[in-house]
Amino acid sequence: MEFFIDTGDIEEIKEASKWGIVDGVTTNPSLIAKTGRSQHDVIHDIVKLIDGPISAEVLSTDKDGMLKEAASLSEIHPNVVIKLPLTIDGLAACKELSEKKIKTNVTLCFSVNQALIAAKAGATYISPFIGRLDDVGHDGMGLIEEIRTVYDNYGYQTKILAASIRHATHVRDAAIVGSDVGTMPYKVLKSLYGHPLTEKGLDQFLKDAGLQ
Ligand code: E4P
């Protein structure tokens, strides 16, 4: 399973990149807005820190505008993945970009049918938002599982990118149901290391070795 960090915070990316488990980065307009900087500047910095897919989202809602933004974002670095909303225009843009071999991440997916049409449009990644589905009483992880089944039924190569991950249990469950990627905030990524028995066991080993 690949791990992406879901942030625009350069300090978080710098720190997490040292751990050796971060394969890529996702951003969205809300995360970029939190930085107080332009998307171009933030993405310029991120590509220097992580050698992997970096999702940058378009703000246009019409296909031509999306394609224009995609061209400008793609110029930043070959690792930039164009993030497009799951709309008619978004998927039409996705189709054109996929024909040009430009990588795409189709975002704001909340149903199996949406994931199916994104795969048909040639999306590189589909981002089902599990936390936001759970928030409204739906089954976010169930959606990942269903998309896995449908993609496997037809051999679609679109990667399932479990998004809107809120806690470590989401990561565990997404891995169990076969999500290709999980994107998560810095604090969730860090929480994956923790287990009280690891800390307790290490304390004991250090004591027994006379080091504590
Ligand atoms: C993913 O690409 C999105 O940026 C993100 O996971 C959304 O998460 P949220 O629902 O916590 O805002």
Side-chain angles (χ1 to χ4, degrees):
M1 186 182 189
E2 287 178 282
F3 280 179
F4 293 175
I5 184 166
D6 194 29
T7 186
D9 185 320
I10 299 301
E11 291 311 312
E12 288 184 350
I13 297 169
K14 260 188 204 158
E15 183 59 25
S17 71
K18 295 179 199 157
W19 307 342
I21 60 163
V22 177
D23 302 296
V25 181
T26 50
T27 62
N28 65 37
S30 311
L31 294 170
I32 296 291
K34 276 193 202 164
T35 68
R37 304 170 66 209
S38 78
Q39 165 155 260
H40 270 70
D41 287 351
V42 174
I43 300 294
H44 263 289
D45 286 351
I46 296 176
V47 296
K48 288 182 205 142
L49 295 170
I50 300 284
D51 184 18
I54 315 295
S55 289
E57 190 160 343
V58 299
L59 292 174
S60 300
T61 53
D62 64 296
K63 185 184 102 175
D64 289 344
M66 290 175 186
L67 291 174
K68 219 167 153 185
E69 282 187 63
S72 147
L73 290 166
S74 295
E75 272 175 17
I76 300 176
H77 194 277
N79 283 346
V80 172
V81 173
I82 307 303
K83 205 169 175 190
L84 301 156
L86 209 155
T87 59
I88 289 177
D89 281 73
L91 291 192
C94 176
K95 179 77 181 168
E96 283 206 24
L97 292 172
S98 82
E99 283 167 359
K100 290 182 190 154
K101 308 278 176 239
I102 292 173
K103 289 189 175 155
T104 53
N105 173 358
V106 174
T107 189
L108 293 167
C109 171
F110 296 97
S111 78
V112 174
N113 284 339
Q114 287 182 318
L116 183 54
I117 55 178
K120 287 181 70 66
T124 314
Y125 299 96
I126 182 70
S127 287
F129 276 32
I130 56 184
R132 292 192 195 186
L133 275 170
D134 290 354
D135 288 346
V136 295
H138 289 239
D139 178 9
M141 205 53 65
L143 175 61
I144 302 282
E145 206 170 355
E146 288 168 4
I147 298 171
R148 178 77 283 151
T149 302
V150 170
Y151 281 7
D152 291 349
N153 282 348
Y154 296 98
Y156 286 119
Q157 295 304 302
T158 300
K159 288 187 177 184
I160 303 173
L161 197 174
S164 188
I165 281 178
R166 301 276 165 77
H167 45 70
T169 305
H170 272 154
V171 180
R172 182 198 68 174
D173 292 347
I176 290 170
V177 301
S179 190
D180 298 293
V181 191
T183 189
M184 63 205 87
Y186 173 87
K187 70 170 194 301
V188 175
L189 191 64
K190 197 169 185 187
S191 78
L192 302 182
Y193 288 86
H195 197 288
L197 291 178
T198 303
E199 284 153 35
K200 194 176 164 205
L202 182 59
D203 275 353
Q204 190 62 52
F205 286 154
L206 293 177
K207 267 185 204 128
D208 292 346
L211 294 170
Q212 259 188 16

